[in-house]
Amino acid sequence: MPTGRATGGTGPARSRERFLQGEPVEAGVRTSILSSWQRSRSLGLSPDQADLPFREDFDRDARIVRAAVPVLDRLQARFAGSKMNISVADASGTVLLRRFGEASLARSLPAFQRVPGFVFAERVAGTNGIGLALAERQLIRVHGAEHFAERSQRSACRALPVRDPLSGRIEGVLCFGYPSSTEDPALATTLRRAARAIERRLLGQSSARERALLRAYLDTGAVASVGLHHTIGVDELALELHPRDRAVLTEKAAELISRGQRAAAVVSLLDGRRVTLVSRPMRSGSGVEGVAIEAVLPGPPPREPLAVPTQVDVPPGFSSRLAVVTAVRPPRFVPAAAAPGRLSVAALSRHLPGITYGPFGTVGGGGVADDHLDTPPRTRGLVMVGEPRVGTYALAARRRLELLSEASARIGTTLDVRRTAQELAETAVPRLADFVTIDLPEAVLRGEESADPRTDLHRTVVHGIRDDLPFSPVGKQVDFGPTTPQMRCLTSGQAVLEPDLKAAAGWLAQDPEHTERLLTQVHSLIAVPLVARGVILGIASFYRAQDPAPFGDDDRSLGLELANRAALSIDNARRYTRERTMVLTLQRSLLPHELPDQDAVEIAHRYLPAESDVGGDWYDVIPLSGTRIGLLVGDVVGHGMLSAATMGQLRTAARSFAELDFPPDEVLTHLDNLVGRLDREEPAAAGVGVIGATCLYAIYDPTSQQCTMARAGHPPPALVRPDGTVSFPDLPAGPPLGLGGLPFEAAEIHLPEGSQLLLYTDGLIEDRHRDVDVVLDQLCGVLAHPGRTPEQTCQAVLETVAPAHPCDDIALLVTRTHALDSHRIAAWDLPADPARVSEVRAAALRQLADWGLDEAAFAAELMLSELVTNAIRHGAGPIRVRLLHGRTLICEVSDASNTAPHLRRAASTDEGGRGLFLVAQLARSWGTRHLPEGKVIWAECGLDGA
């Protein structure tokens, strides 16, 4: 992008002009600059404003000044002769120091660029290096017309926040200013090194203060008061303490230092001993105030007592900043009784009446006994010294680590997007924030990627210490304006910190009435994007209300780490949701959408997918010839897409085999061969086990009320007779499909009219948390209500017997049997004599007249004549003719021959061969059904016109 002033209507100046005129300028302007322009405009700043606020009362001896002066002197020497303007500002944007590469600049530049004291905060100066570095809290480059104000158009600058290494807070800003006509990318590296040098000097100031405290402790009578040879430090304790005990002692010592007052705490060790930690406020000769922590151990002193603790100089890069002392062993032992003036716990309790130390109770009442003459001498000595703020930082750092450790266990326990987002909020409250809101696109909740998460956000989680704050409710679509922290966060992909919401102009302008009410409760905000694998999944907003301290950069880093961990879990849940939705869609598409109309049984069905994954359970209802009905239930081994696809293949094949009128055992045999072939042909199955399945197939004939069933490794059905008796028919088990080489056996059972037959998959009764026998007893109790409809039975079984959180799919098929009225069945037996054909036709016509089917008489007479004639000519006696009047008219002719007729096209010279062709033209459908002895040729005639 061209830099500097506009020429020919191009470059950042042109974009700035378009922005000031209210035109869209998203393309060609960096996100940080555009966000700053928007905030400047929302603050009501004018680009023509010339004056900046000036402060005469700024601290000329601030910590940042003492740390920065030597560094700026070296920078001034490095840039000697150049037009470099080097400045250091404090955390409020007030310039404290200035240096120039060329001395003449100090006289030629306007006052706001050469005199310390001017305020460059964004809220008063608009877009500039110092103000934007404080707002964005990172390295910033502002070039030429990217400045909001006209006064800075000819300048360029790079600025970087300088932080206190101890607390992580921003202490100030280091800024390089130079003419916009000059630009050197190496300036960024120089700027970073100079800022790090200032930060090291800030750390050195803290180290000097702590060393002063340690010297003050050693110079006082503290050592003499506890006995020269009976002091003990953390290093000596470490020789005999469990690592967990050492960590607890160190943490408790840091906590006592952070309080900054006299207190004590009793720490119980794993071996049953108890160590008393006592804090002693103290002051060095230079005025540094701090706390010394001493440890008191009951019992005899060690065989080799400790000498005076030696001071350890803390290197500049030491992070915890707590001065921990070590100890060396002396050459001889001095009895504890010789220690003049040693303080007893009783004396200490008189100095600290009623001091409470958290969960440990109070001194004198917390279980620490007073000294008596017969009490074993105690070992006592210095553990650590430090300033209260240092202890606070160390304690906060440890608690952040604990929170991150806890987050790894609490976030992502399920593969549910909403639950994972809720776990993030529950983890952050109240350890990091008082309130958390999480907004996710509707597409992410469905398992998809959002095309534009900035316009599709819905409030997914609202969680906090109270429920009465006016946050947008869960489920409501939320729209963030372009200047809000949330939108800046989504646009940049970085966490945005607003320490003071009252000064966050973009957030206030979003919804003044709503934010006005919210500001009475919350005061600080961190907006963090939920990004995983390069995909923006949503946004998490952390609010602070009760804690008076605003959020800092350490809090922002912690919130970002929590959000990153949660985002990965949310993305895993999203991907799982997408895959599960796809498999479930495939599964449901392969199941029957509508059950066929038939009169043999009443049917109710359910399919309940597993919570964790989708399997390959299926059911089917297949109308068969002779008003019979086929009932299928099956279960493919495993879960996922492969199981669902295999289920679809098996269901299609099973339906095809059933419609060929094969008996149940033959259908299972064909399915067994198919599964074995699929297992051999499926490359994905290599190395993951064979494809297997179980199946139960039943055929119910309403004319005889007989039900023929066979099963392949599937649970037997439940039979409820009209009197309420519940039983599980003893069917031959049969091997699961896919094993091959083993036969299947069928069993025939009489089902009185009104009986209920329950077919189900093993997900209904098998659960690792329940005993199968107990579940079957529950099932019997639920089914022992013959008056229920199949639909009611289905619902009762799922509510009572099905597991609350199914680990496997459940397919359920409930049928209530009907019997075909004997008055709707007509049958005749006749010998294999062509002369009897006319008699059968006449008898059939009379029966059709009795049924009121005169309109179907012609077609039925012709079909029946052809079928009987074929049976006499090509079959074997005896021959039986049957008419069934149900939803359709069915003509059946059976004989003892196994030879099935085939439809063919007769030549013009053939005298015969046209009978089946006529039957096929007149009938709705026709076919052959094989019997154990013989066959049945049937033809079905519609009654729409009857």
Side-chain angles (χ1 to χ4, degrees):
M1 185 181 73
T3 58
R5 280 194 165 277
T7 56
T10 62
R14 175 57 182 159
S15 297
R16 178 173 163 275
E17 292 171 7
R18 292 176 56 199
F19 171 79
L20 294 176
Q21 293 171 4
E23 300 179 17
V25 292
E26 282 77 4
V29 180
R30 289 181 290 144
T31 302
S32 59
I33 300 298
L34 180 58
S35 298
S36 181
W37 286 356
Q38 292 169 338
R39 293 195 297 272
S40 300
R41 184 169 59 182
S42 65
L43 288 166
L45 299 179
S46 170
D48 300 323
Q49 181 179 344
D51 297 331
L52 287 177
F54 179 78
R55 292 180 52 192
E56 296 182 353
D57 59 343
F58 66 90
D59 188 358
R60 300 177 186 273
D61 192 38
R63 292 182 65 228
I64 185 71
V65 172
R66 298 197 304 273
V69 165
V71 179
L72 262 63
D73 290 341
R74 292 197 298 270
L75 289 174
Q76 184 178 22
R78 174 171 182 172
F79 292 111
S82 70
K83 295 186 179 297
M84 184 65 68
N85 183 346
I86 309 166
S87 59
V88 170
D90 63 14
S92 65
T94 303
V95 174
L96 306 178
L97 293 172
R98 284 207 181 268
R99 295 288 190 275
F100 303 96
E102 186 177 300
S104 60
L105 286 177
R107 298 185 297 272
S108 61
L109 292 176
F112 73 91
Q113 288 184 323
R114 60 182 172 85
V115 178
F118 283 93
V119 180
F120 283 83
E122 188 185 64
R123 65 180 183 277
V124 294
T127 306
N128 69 91
I130 293 175
L132 192 53
L134 290 173
E136 297 288 338
R137 310 177 79 84
Q138 60 182 342
L139 178 64
I140 287 297
R141 181 178 72 91
V142 182
H143 201 111
E146 291 179 335
H147 288 87
F148 186 77
E150 295 284 353
R151 59 177 174 267
S152 303
Q153 297 292 295
R154 297 182 181 275
S155 302
C157 63
R158 293 178 183 266
L160 180 66
V162 177
R163 304 176 188 275
D164 183 347
L166 195 60
S167 65
R169 291 200 304 256
I170 293 178
E171 289 288 327
V173 177
L174 176 62
C175 181
F176 290 173
Y178 45 90
S180 59
S181 58
T182 62
E183 179 64 46
D184 185 357
L187 286 177
T189 301
T190 304
L191 184 65
R192 285 193 178 94
R193 290 178 177 175
R196 298 294 88 82
I198 297 175
E199 290 174 351
R200 285 195 297 271
R201 292 184 59 81
L202 288 172
L203 186 61
Q205 293 178 10
S206 298
S207 300
R209 296 169 66 89
E210 291 171 1
R211 287 194 292 270
L213 283 175
L214 185 56
R215 282 194 299 270
Y217 179 85
L218 298 175
D219 291 342
T220 62
V223 174
S225 67
V226 299
L228 180 64
H229 301 292
H230 297 354
T231 57
I232 188 166
V234 171
D235 287 351
E236 176 64 20
L237 291 174
L239 298 177
E240 56 179 281
L241 293 184
H242 188 275
R244 180 258 182 193
D245 289 337
R246 295 200 301 270
V248 171
L249 282 172
T250 303
E251 180 179 5
K252 183 53 63 177
E255 181 179 345
L256 290 174
I257 289 178
S258 68
R259 296 180 184 179
Q261 60 184 1
R262 287 185 177 272
V266 176
V267 180
S268 298
L269 305 181
L270 292 177
D271 58 6
R273 292 183 300 161
R274 291 192 293 182
V275 177
T276 303
L277 296 180
V278 182
S279 63
R280 288 166 34 98
M282 54 185 299
R283 183 185 183 93
S284 70
S286 60
V288 179
E289 295 183 354
V291 177
I293 304 298
E294 298 170 338
V296 179
L297 275 75
R303 294 180 180 177
E304 299 182 22
L306 302 176
V308 178
T310 59
Q311 174 184 332
V312 178
D313 289 336
V314 183
F318 187 61
S319 59
S320 73
R321 313 308 317 137
L322 291 175
V324 181
V325 298
T326 59
V328 295
R329 300 185 182 279
R332 64 187 183 87
F333 171 72
V334 177
R342 179 170 63 87
L343 290 178
S344 68
V345 175
L348 179 65
S349 65
R350 288 193 295 271
H351 289 289
L352 305 173
I355 295 297
T356 301
Y357 42 87
F360 301 93
T362 58
V363 175
V368 181
D370 294 345
D371 282 342
H372 298 284
L373 295 177
D374 57 350
T375 302
R378 288 183 173 87
T379 304
R380 175 179 180 140
L382 180 65
V383 175
M384 63 176 64
V385 296
E387 297 179 75
R389 65 186 184 94
V390 178
T392 301
Y393 300 148
L395 192 61
R398 180 179 294 277
R399 288 176 177 172
R400 290 189 183 101
L401 291 175
E402 292 175 350
L403 180 58
L404 289 176
S405 176
E406 181 181 338
S408 63
R410 292 188 60 181
I411 300 176
T413 60
T414 68
L415 287 172
D416 181 82
V417 173
R418 287 184 173 84
R419 180 56 197 159
T420 304
Q422 182 70 30
E423 288 170 346
L424 168 60
E426 292 173 353
T427 302
V429 175
R431 306 274 289 278
L432 172 62
D434 296 319
F435 298 93
V436 176
T437 63
I438 299 178
D439 306 311
L440 301 177
E442 187 66 29
V444 172
L445 297 174
R446 296 194 304 266
E448 305 168 4
E449 290 185 10
S450 176
D452 187 1
R454 295 175 297 179
T455 60
D456 185 32
L457 289 174
H458 289 74
R459 182 58 45 87
T460 306
V461 173
V462 177
H463 183 70
I465 56 178
R466 301 195 312 273
D467 299 329
D468 57 347
L469 263 67
F471 290 109
S472 298
V474 172
K476 182 180 179 181
Q477 183 170 355
V478 290
D479 298 314
F480 295 111
T483 60
T484 58
Q486 288 85 351
M487 186 55 67
R488 289 158 50 201
C489 163
L490 290 174
T491 303
S492 64
Q494 302 293 326
V496 174
L497 168 62
E498 289 289 355
D500 185 4
L501 282 175
K502 294 182 179 179
W507 187 74
L508 294 172
Q510 166 74 11
D511 185 353
E513 181 180 355
H514 173 75
T515 53
E516 187 67 27
R517 298 198 311 270
L518 201 55
L519 272 179
T520 62
Q521 304 289 337
V522 298
H523 60 79
S524 192
L525 165 67
I526 301 174
V528 184
L530 298 171
V531 183
R533 302 180 179 95
V535 178
I536 296 180
L537 304 174
I539 187 169
S541 301
F542 302 92
Y543 295 89
R544 183 163 285 178
Q546 287 190 338
D547 190 342
F551 283 125
D553 286 287
D554 287 342
D555 298 312
R556 179 177 64 173
S557 299
L558 179 59
L560 183 60
E561 179 66 23
L562 291 176
N564 287 339
R565 298 190 182 196
L568 190 60
S569 297
I570 289 175
D571 191 52
N572 290 338
R574 178 189 67 84
R575 290 168 179 261
Y576 166 77
T577 301
R578 179 183 61 185
E579 181 178 346
R580 185 175 188 273
T581 301
M582 292 172 56
V583 176
L584 188 57
T585 302
L586 174 63
Q587 172 86 341
R588 293 191 184 280
S589 68
L590 296 175
L591 292 174
H593 296 288
E594 294 182 0
L595 296 183
D597 294 331
Q598 43 78 39
D599 295 326
V601 290
E602 294 178 53
I603 299 176
H605 58 91
R606 292 287 191 280
Y607 171 73
L608 186 64
E611 281 194 352
S612 59
D613 207 346
V614 179
D617 293 16
W618 91 92
Y619 61 89
D620 207 348
V621 178
I622 308 168
L624 302 176
S625 62
T627 68
R628 297 171 308 140
I629 195 74
L631 306 173
L632 262 169
V633 171
D635 183 4
V636 176
V637 174
H639 297 84
M641 189 72 73
L642 179 60
S643 296
T646 304
M647 178 275 290
Q649 293 176 290
L650 289 185
R651 176 178 173 257
T652 302
R655 190 177 187 90
S656 300
F657 296 144
E659 289 178 343
L660 291 175
D661 270 328
F662 290 145
D665 53 336
E666 289 190 28
V667 169
L668 296 183
T669 300
H670 287 296
L671 289 177
D672 181 58
N673 295 332
L674 174 63
V675 172
R677 185 167 62 253
L678 290 176
D679 181 50
R680 293 190 298 271
E681 296 174 354
E682 178 56 56
V688 296
V690 298
I691 298 174
T694 65
C695 185
L696 170 64
Y697 181 36
I699 298 178
Y700 173 67
D701 188 347
T703 63
S704 62
Q705 301 177 39
Q706 294 294 114
C707 184
T708 305
M709 293 181 279
R711 63 188 179 115
H714 202 84
L719 174 60
V720 185
R721 298 188 178 275
D723 60 357
T725 304
V726 181
S727 63
F728 296 91
D730 186 14
L731 302 180
L737 300 177
L739 295 183
L742 297 175
F744 297 96
E745 298 181 48
E748 190 169 314
I749 301 174
H750 180 73
L751 299 182
E753 184 175 10
S755 300
Q756 286 195 9
L757 193 65
L758 179 74
L759 284 70
Y760 54 90
T761 55
D762 57 2
L764 178 67
I765 60 173
E766 294 183 5
D767 185 76
R768 56 185 168 212
H769 303 296
R770 304 185 301 171
D771 184 80
V772 174
D773 294 333
V774 175
V775 176
L776 291 177
D777 290 340
Q778 291 178 340
L779 181 60
C780 291
V782 173
L783 296 178
H785 298 276
R788 288 175 175 165
T789 64
E791 188 68 30
Q792 293 171 337
T793 300
C794 243
Q795 191 64 31
V797 168
L798 290 182
E799 291 177 352
T800 308
V801 182
H805 303 283
C807 300
D808 195 7
D809 293 15
I810 298 175
L812 189 61
L813 192 63
V814 180
T815 64
R816 172 179 284 170
T817 62
H818 295 298
L820 186 62
D821 192 343
S822 59
H823 297 293
R824 289 177 171 264
I825 304 174
W828 300 275
D829 294 319
L830 66 155
D833 183 0
R836 303 293 297 273
V837 175
S838 59
E839 297 179 8
V840 172
R841 287 203 306 266
L845 288 175
R846 288 193 298 272
Q847 184 63 59
L848 293 176
D850 292 342
W851 287 339
L853 303 178
D854 295 329
E855 302 239 351
F858 174 76
E861 180 186 13
L862 184 55
M863 289 189 298
L864 194 60
S865 177
E866 292 295 335
L867 294 178
V868 172
T869 301
N870 278 341
I872 293 175
R873 287 184 177 180
H874 306 290
I879 298 173
R880 182 176 178 81
V881 177
R882 190 169 69 159
L883 294 180
L884 303 176
H885 179 201
R887 291 176 178 265
T888 60
L889 178 64
I890 301 174
C891 304
E892 294 183 345
V893 177
S894 61
D895 65 86
S897 171
N898 290 322
T899 303
H902 297 283
L903 180 66
R904 66 183 181 88
R905 184 177 294 277
S908 59
T909 57
D910 291 342
E911 295 184 0
R914 297 176 179 83
L916 284 181
F917 180 77
L918 290 175
V919 171
Q921 296 300 311
L922 294 173
R924 175 182 293 179
S925 60
W926 73 280
T928 301
R929 179 170 77 249
H930 289 274
L931 303 174
E933 294 181 0
K935 65 179 181 300
V936 176
I937 311 297
W938 57 271
E940 183 177 350
C941 179
L943 302 179
D944 297 338

